[in-house]
Every structure is written in structure tokens, then in C-alpha cells.
Amino acid sequence: MKIKTIYLFRHGEIEPRYKEKYIGHFDAGLSFNGIQQNKKIDKFIKKLKDCVVVTSDLKRTYTGISKKLSKSRDLREISFGQWECRSWKEVIKKYRKESASYLKGPENFTF
């Protein structure tokens, strides 16, 4: 039996304007540093033999990756719904009731 190895990578750093904001399904671009980080992942992947790369369909997950890959919407991060692209400060101001509910039990909260 041939042993298989699975590598998991997180995408590179996103653009600074999205720092400290809820970013899930929104397709935020990568910062310069994030592109360089993805290129390091690409360099590592190129060294692997018989490698299959599967990623979400968001550009931040495959920017800078030269290997052929399969994209799947099913691999996206969770959607933060109306909280997408908002900071926590903005969320508690605009969604007072929902943010209080989240703080009481995040494991039971639905975005």
C-alpha cells in the first residue's frame, strides 16, 4: 500500500484594506506580501511528484500557483453574510442584537 501525504495551506495575506474585517466568501485580493507567500507555496508544490492540487474558487487561494489545479466552491471559508467586509466595530454598531447573540454562543450562531 502506497502512503499518501496531504498538505494543507492557507492562502497568503490579503490586501491591507481588509485587515481586521470579516472576509469569508468575498473574493479579497492578496497583498504584495500575500502573493509572495503564495509563490513560496507554489515553489514547494512544484517539487512534489504526482501531486493533485485542490483549492477553493476564490482568487486569493490560487493567485501565484502555476500548477494545474481543481477549484471547488465547496472549499470556501464560511460566509459571514451581512458581516462580510465589516470590522467587529462596524458589526456591533449595525447588528447590535446579532452580535450580542454571537457573543453568548458563537457555536450556535448562524450568519
Side-chain angles (χ1 to χ4, degrees):
M1 174 196 252
K2 188 173 179 182
I3 296 175
K4 299 283 183 181
T5 303
I6 298 174
Y7 297 95
L8 301 175
F9 301 97
R10 179 155 170 80
H11 59 76
E13 174 187 85
I14 59 175
E15 295 174 29
R17 63 184 163 154
Y18 299 115
K19 188 175 180 178
E20 297 184 13
K21 297 192 183 240
Y22 288 91
I23 305 295
H25 280 203
F26 178 74
D27 202 3
L30 294 175
S31 66
F32 176 80
N33 187 45
I35 293 169
Q36 299 312 306
Q37 291 167 336
N38 274 18
K39 286 182 179 180
K40 285 181 182 178
I41 293 170
D42 185 55
K43 191 174 180 180
F44 177 83
I45 291 170
K46 284 179 181 178
K47 295 176 185 176
L48 301 175
K49 293 187 172 138
D50 301 322
C51 174
V52 175
V53 179
V54 183
T55 183
S56 87
D57 61 338
L58 298 175
K59 290 178 190 168
R60 66 181 177 255
T61 63
Y62 60 83
T63 297
I65 307 297
S66 60
K67 180 128 175 102
K68 185 177 180 195
L69 46 85
S70 297
K71 299 173 197 164
S72 173
R73 184 179 175 87
D74 294 334
L75 292 176
R76 284 185 176 193
E77 297 179 44
I78 67 167
S79 170
F80 291 105
Q82 295 178 322
W83 294 15
E84 286 276 338
C85 299
R86 297 181 193 276
S87 68
W88 177 245
K89 194 180 269 189
E90 292 171 303
V91 167
I92 59 175
K93 187 175 182 181
K94 187 164 182 159
Y95 304 101
R96 190 174 302 251
K97 184 178 171 184
E98 293 88 345
S99 58
S101 175
Y102 175 78
L103 289 174
K104 287 181 185 172
E107 67 279 357
N108 298 316
F109 188 81
T110 303
F111 290 95

